[in-house]
Amino acid sequence: MNQTETAPFLPDGFLKRTRVELPEGLAVNPQATPQCTPEQVEEVVVAGPPTITKCKIEQPGAEIGVDFISTLASPAGPVVTIPAFVFNVETPDDPSSPFFGAPSMAGFNPAGKEATFLVGDLNPKDQHISFTTEPDLESPLVGGAPVIGSRLVFNGKAGAGYITLPSECNGQPQRSPLIATSQTDEEDSSVSVTPYSVTSCDKVPFEPGIDVTSGGKQTDSPNPSTVNVTIPFNPDPEGITNSQLHVAKVTLPEGAGINPSAGNGIASCTDAQFGLGTGNPITCPAASRIGSIEVETPSLPGILGGEVYVGQQLNGNSTTGETFRIFLHVTSARFGVNVRLLGRIFPNPVTGRLTVVVAENPQAPFESFRVHIDGGAHGVLTSPDTCGPHTTNTALTPFSSATDATPSSAFSLSEIAGGGPCPKTLAERPFKPSYQASPVSIEAGKFTPLNIDLGRAPGSQEVKRIDVNLPPGMVAKLKGTEYCPQSAIEAATKGSGKGEIASRSCPSNSLVGSTRIAAGSGPDPFQTDGKVYLAGPYKGAPLSMVFVTPAVAGPYDLGNVVVRAALNVDPETAEIHAVSDPIPNVFNGVKLDIRSIAVRIDRKNFTVNPTTCREPLSINSTIFGGGGNPANEAQWQQVTSSNGIQFVKCKSLQFKPRFFARIFGGKHQTQRAQNPKFRAILAARNGDANLRRASFILPRATILDQSHIKTICTRVQLAANECPKNAIYGHARATSPLLAKPLKGPVYLTSSSHELPDLLADLHGQVPIRLRGVISSQHGRLKTVFNNTPDVAVRKFELTMKGGNRGLLVNSRNLCARQTNGFLNLLAQNSRRMRTKNLRLNIPACHGGKRHHKK
């Protein structure tokens, strides 16, 4: 204490209490020596100085140092220094004790009057220890002369001393702040700074170990698991203990991932509720607890317990370590332990493999740090998909150097999820998904929802793609339905899941259905709903569907899973072949483990059934599994499924179309050897059966002018959509109640397998349609047959053939000389027929320009 410069040399204050903070990393090891009870320190056996207490007699190994106390023998001096033995004191386990909650204690009794205890407490941020004198200091001399100084010296002992130097050689001096309180409760402070830093870190050993075990034996299951990091405390031959752990980086086995099933009921703990770096009470919700902790330290007896909590998501990008976080709390009320750690989880975006990083560990020794993650139906981790062995890798950084230790550990599994031998490789996993695709109603020509349901057994291959081939005639009404624009699809891909739920990215008028996805391992997968939208051209297909599923589970918002399916349309049959994009098995780092997919295309008056009941039709599908490598399409495996459907009530559909045929041009065009322009119109009624086959035989007066057949479109050119312009001999137009706009296109002569070229109407619009007519001669008359026309509602079809020097038809006589009749034969999809043997062609030029229509 500062003293006056003149007699009686009193201090400027009488000391009541001191508090000294030890430097960070300067560890106190209460278990290094035997310990005395506080009562043994209090009880004097031989008066001093130095005082001999019962502790000195009964626990001679408990002596850890000496405190040299300076006081005044009288107000005028001289200064007297009294030594007092300092003992390692056990902390009481009685909560009513004033010393309960101290991690360590030391005590001394300088004059046999009252013992003074150095009561430790831990800093909640970095766990460095501080000592406070309790109870209030009194003079060790009779008469109460003031204490004017204290020199506390702890004994050293290589490898097993009460105090261990830090492991970190950072070149910085060690700081020890002091707070002194006077008898009048005035405070003053000071800081001791050593003139040196810790050295010789290159001599500090660091030999950690890792042991990872699975509490279950089944693959693809929410097994409990334990990760145990060990650091031996036994000193090396030079008496130097292992370095403390600074950064822990643990990479769990490939295939072990975050389990979506945990989304059922899980909550998260906010930073404020956890109070990282504080001593505030932890108020994390009970539903945020996902595991427990057990710690063994050489500093304290027994096993310290603790909890693992889910930390609040801070952003949606899992590569930052701010999406998936865990809070680790190690606590002991008896020893005042309150260690709070933050673990950041970095999942591999492709495989879902998890790397956990705890970057700010305190410089405190431990021999074993075990983290138990709970299993059960909603366990947060999914076990790998194969037998193993499954290896956990580490990069453990000590305080003593920047060189990582890399111990590893492996475990194996023995059963597949649900029981049975476990697969040795990913390719050996079974792949037998359940699958059903069918319309709700099987009534012919009826608008009806379409349902697709897929199920996957635990432990089997993940579903990577679904291709669906709808039967002929099972189409959709596009009229009145918007397309979800590309900008909206991109917005959904980049947006948050909660934002998508609150305000859908795609227009409401593009909505055509919904989805329900079940994901996660265990008996109770997490279920989430999504929407299905109609969209425009995609990957060469004229149409597409967009499946948008918000990935919101419990406290997590991972964005939106957006999968697009190209809707290819067979131009000659109008059959729809839907090909999905790859279905993610890992999304934003989460191993989805999709268990079922239910698709409902249920927009009102959207999907419509065929109008044929002649034979059962099938929805044929191909389902692709992940095979040996879900990220490599070449290694996928596939199974096929066929759902037969027998449509009914076809006979109730009528078939009463109207047909018109017309020769254009003036009188001159009706003359023999002229090439007239020709148009045929077929008009159908809404609700009738669709056309299956159409045959039309021209009058004998109109025959094929083969001299005008010059350029035809080859099969190769047609496949490449590169038919030459000179192969165009007409044009066609079709309107449908299913489409917003007519289909239009040229009429070509194309290569065929017949004697004459085929007539092909190449229609374009929302969808491509090609109507192929086979041209032949029957009894000297020109016959054109459109076989197997698509089972699609057409309100009106117009076929116009050119005349003049590009005309394919030539008059064999004057068309006005007598009546000119053709032959019409129409066959409906439900087998109803309409025949007209004497179909009179409308030739206005023969009637003064007046039109005559013959039904």
Side-chain angles (χ1 to χ4, degrees):
M1 297 293 109
N2 294 326
Q3 303 170 57
T4 59
E5 296 181 359
T6 59
F9 305 104
L10 294 175
D12 54 9
F14 295 94
L15 197 62
K16 177 180 181 180
R17 186 182 306 109
T18 62
R19 175 180 173 81
V20 176
E21 292 187 44
L22 272 64
E24 183 181 349
L26 188 67
V28 175
N29 309 309
Q31 301 302 299
T33 72
Q35 293 178 309
C36 297
T37 65
E39 292 75 18
Q40 288 175 315
V41 180
E42 293 274 6
E43 189 172 342
V44 177
V45 176
V46 178
T51 301
I52 306 300
T53 64
K54 195 173 183 179
C55 181
K56 176 75 171 177
I57 302 299
E58 296 182 354
Q59 295 284 2
E63 183 181 333
I64 58 174
V66 179
D67 193 339
F68 298 94
I69 300 175
S70 298
T71 185
L72 297 175
S74 69
V79 175
V80 178
T81 299
I82 301 172
F85 297 110
V86 181
F87 301 99
N88 185 5
V89 179
E90 67 181 24
T91 57
D93 58 5
D94 181 3
S96 65
S97 169
F99 304 137
F100 180 80
S104 62
M105 289 176 58
F108 56 91
N109 195 331
K113 296 172 61 179
E114 185 177 23
T116 296
F117 294 99
L118 306 176
V119 183
D121 64 86
L122 295 170
N123 181 283
K125 184 175 181 179
D126 57 27
Q127 301 301 299
H128 74 267
I129 196 166
S130 300
F131 284 105
T132 302
T133 55
E134 293 187 24
D136 294 346
L137 292 172
E138 295 184 7
S139 170
L141 296 181
V142 176
V147 174
I148 62 172
S150 172
R151 183 170 185 264
L152 175 60
V153 179
F154 285 110
N155 300 331
K157 184 178 180 181
Y162 183 73
I163 289 181
T164 302
L165 285 173
S167 302
E168 185 176 24
C169 299
N170 57 14
Q172 300 297 317
Q174 299 182 74
R175 297 170 55 85
S176 299
L178 163 72
I179 297 177
T181 305
S182 72
Q183 293 289 342
T184 58
D185 289 325
E186 296 179 76
E187 282 191 358
D188 196 10
S189 62
S190 181
V191 177
S192 171
V193 181
T194 63
Y196 52 83
S197 61
V198 176
T199 62
S200 303
C201 278
D202 58 318
K203 297 181 180 180
V204 178
F206 185 60
E207 299 175 351
I210 183 79
D211 183 34
V212 179
T213 58
S214 174
K217 59 185 178 180
Q218 293 191 340
T219 65
D220 193 22
S221 300
N223 297 336
S225 57
T226 300
V227 177
N228 184 21
V229 178
T230 58
I231 300 178
F233 188 71
N234 298 329
D236 69 2
E238 297 185 20
I240 303 176
T241 63
N242 266 261
S243 171
Q244 284 91 41
L245 176 65
H246 187 196
V247 178
K249 182 178 180 181
V250 179
T251 301
L252 297 178
E254 193 79 62
I258 297 172
N259 182 17
S261 297
N264 292 307
I266 197 171
S268 66
C269 182
T270 67
D271 290 52
Q273 289 170 328
F274 185 65
L276 184 67
T278 74
N280 300 335
I282 291 178
T283 58
C284 293
S288 67
R289 181 195 175 280
I290 59 171
S292 61
I293 300 173
E294 294 177 345
V295 176
E296 296 179 55
T297 171
S299 301
L300 299 172
I303 297 177
L304 305 180
E307 309 294 338
V308 184
Y309 301 99
V310 171
Q312 181 185 27
Q313 175 185 347
L314 299 183
N315 68 41
N317 184 354
S318 64
T319 63
T320 64
E322 300 294 331
T323 301
F324 301 107
R325 304 186 302 153
I326 55 174
F327 294 146
L328 301 98
H329 182 218
V330 181
T331 182
S332 170
R334 176 184 175 185
F335 299 113
V337 176
N338 180 27
V339 181
R340 307 186 193 195
L341 303 174
L342 168 63
R344 291 182 172 88
I345 300 175
F346 297 86
N348 184 296
V350 176
T351 66
R353 189 177 189 182
L354 304 176
T355 296
V356 184
V357 178
V358 182
E360 299 296 334
N361 290 284
Q363 279 197 73
F366 66 83
E367 292 180 287
S368 172
F369 197 111
R370 291 186 294 274
V371 178
H372 304 280
I373 301 299
D374 297 336
H378 301 152
V380 296
L381 290 179
T382 292
S383 61
D385 298 312
T386 61
C387 301
H390 302 290
T391 301
T392 296
N393 299 314
T394 66
L396 306 179
T397 308
F399 275 97
S400 59
S401 76
T403 302
D404 295 337
T406 57
S408 61
S409 175
F411 65 86
S412 295
L413 303 170
S414 58
E415 291 184 3
I416 196 171
C422 69
K424 296 180 180 179
T425 65
L426 292 177
E428 291 180 11
R429 294 175 298 163
F431 188 56
K432 298 180 180 179
S434 62
Y435 186 81
Q436 179 68 35
S438 63
V440 173
S441 170
I442 57 173
E443 184 176 340
K446 183 180 179 63
F447 283 105
T448 178
L450 174 66
N451 293 342
I452 298 175
D453 294 278
L454 179 144
R456 167 190 164 273
S460 60
Q461 297 177 27
E462 50 282 292
V463 177
K464 291 299 300 177
R465 201 178 84 200
I466 304 174
D467 294 357
V468 180
N469 290 286
L470 297 179
M474 184 173 286
V475 293
K477 182 180 179 181
L478 304 179
K479 185 177 182 179
T481 306
E482 291 183 54
Y483 290 168
C484 181
Q486 182 64 32
S487 59
I489 297 172
E490 293 174 357
T493 302
K494 298 175 182 178
S496 69
K498 291 180 180 178
E500 183 68 21
I501 293 172
S503 178
R504 302 289 177 181
S505 299
C506 292
S508 59
N509 195 33
S510 65
L511 181 66
V512 297
S514 63
T515 62
R516 168 155 284 199
I517 310 296
S521 65
D524 186 21
F526 179 78
Q527 298 193 33
T528 184
D529 296 328
K531 300 297 182 183
V532 186
Y533 302 93
L534 184 68
Y538 184 62
K539 291 186 175 180
L543 303 167
S544 60
M545 282 188 176
V546 181
F547 301 79
V548 181
T549 305
V552 178
Y556 289 108
D557 181 350
L558 304 181
N560 299 295
V561 181
V562 179
V563 177
R564 199 164 178 179
L567 301 181
N568 298 282
V569 178
D570 187 303
E572 298 203 13
T573 66
E575 292 176 75
I576 296 174
H577 179 208
V579 179
S580 78
D581 282 346
I583 299 170
N585 58 295
V586 174
F587 181 74
N588 214 344
V590 174
K591 183 181 177 183
L592 293 182
D593 219 338
I594 293 175
R595 296 281 296 280
S596 66
I597 300 174
V599 179
R600 303 289 178 260
I601 307 299
D602 55 7
R603 181 186 177 100
K604 185 177 181 181
N605 294 340
F606 184 68
T607 53
V608 63
N609 285 337
T611 60
T612 180
C613 304
R614 300 189 305 276
E615 57 186 6
L617 300 178
S618 297
I619 298 179
N620 298 314
S621 304
T622 303
I623 304 103
F624 295 83
N629 183 358
N632 184 354
E633 188 172 349
Q635 296 190 38
W636 293 354
Q637 298 177 14
Q638 67 183 67
V639 296
T640 59
S641 176
S642 182
N643 299 128
I645 308 168
Q646 178 64 66
F647 292 95
V648 299
K649 297 186 178 180
C650 281
K651 291 184 178 180
S652 63
L653 298 175
Q654 299 297 311
F655 183 64
K656 296 181 178 181
R658 293 184 299 163
F659 183 83
F660 309 96
R662 181 182 177 190
I663 296 291
F664 285 85
K667 277 280 188 176
H668 177 74
Q669 291 297 112
T670 64
Q671 300 298 314
R672 183 177 183 277
Q674 294 299 312
N675 298 101
K677 179 181 177 182
F678 173 81
R679 175 179 293 167
I681 299 175
L682 179 68
R685 305 187 309 174
N686 288 338
D688 277 10
N690 298 324
L691 182 66
R692 172 182 164 193
R693 181 178 181 273
S695 174
F696 179 63
I697 300 177
L698 285 170
R700 294 183 185 276
T702 306
I703 60 176
L704 181 66
D705 190 345
Q706 296 196 38
S707 66
H708 281 190
I709 300 177
K710 296 179 180 179
T711 304
I712 64 172
C713 182
T714 66
R715 290 184 174 89
V716 174
Q717 290 171 327
L718 182 63
N721 289 314
E722 295 178 350
C723 289
K725 290 184 177 180
N726 288 339
I728 299 175
Y729 294 88
H731 63 271
R733 172 188 173 99
T735 58
S736 169
L738 305 179
L739 302 176
K741 295 181 179 180
L743 302 181
K744 303 176 183 179
V747 176
Y748 297 106
L749 286 184
T750 67
S751 300
S752 74
S753 302
H754 309 101
E755 183 178 351
L756 294 173
D758 286 346
L759 189 71
L760 184 90
D762 191 15
L763 304 176
H764 297 276
Q766 280 185 286
V767 294
I769 294 294
R770 286 175 175 168
L771 298 174
R772 183 178 294 276
V774 177
I775 302 173
S776 63
S777 176
Q778 181 173 337
H779 306 300
R781 304 176 72 176
L782 187 63
K783 180 180 180 181
T784 304
V785 179
F786 291 91
N787 291 301
N788 301 316
T789 60
D791 190 358
V792 176
V794 175
R795 178 173 294 130
K796 187 177 183 181
F797 177 73
E798 299 180 21
L799 176 67
T800 302
M801 301 303 296
K802 293 182 178 181
N805 58 5
R806 297 294 298 164
L808 289 179
L809 302 180
V810 62
N811 301 329
S812 63
R813 63 171 175 83
N814 187 327
L815 300 182
C816 296
R818 56 181 181 273
Q819 185 172 313
T820 305
N821 295 331
F823 179 85
L824 178 67
N825 188 356
L826 302 180
L827 177 65
Q829 294 285 344
N830 65 351
S831 298
R832 289 182 180 270
R833 289 184 179 272
M834 190 186 83
R835 292 189 182 93
T836 304
K837 293 183 178 180
N838 293 306
L839 180 69
R840 185 176 179 181
L841 270 64
N842 181 18
I843 310 175
C846 296
H847 306 282
K850 296 181 180 180
R851 299 181 182 181
H852 293 271
H853 296 293
K854 179 72 175 177
K855 182 177 178 181

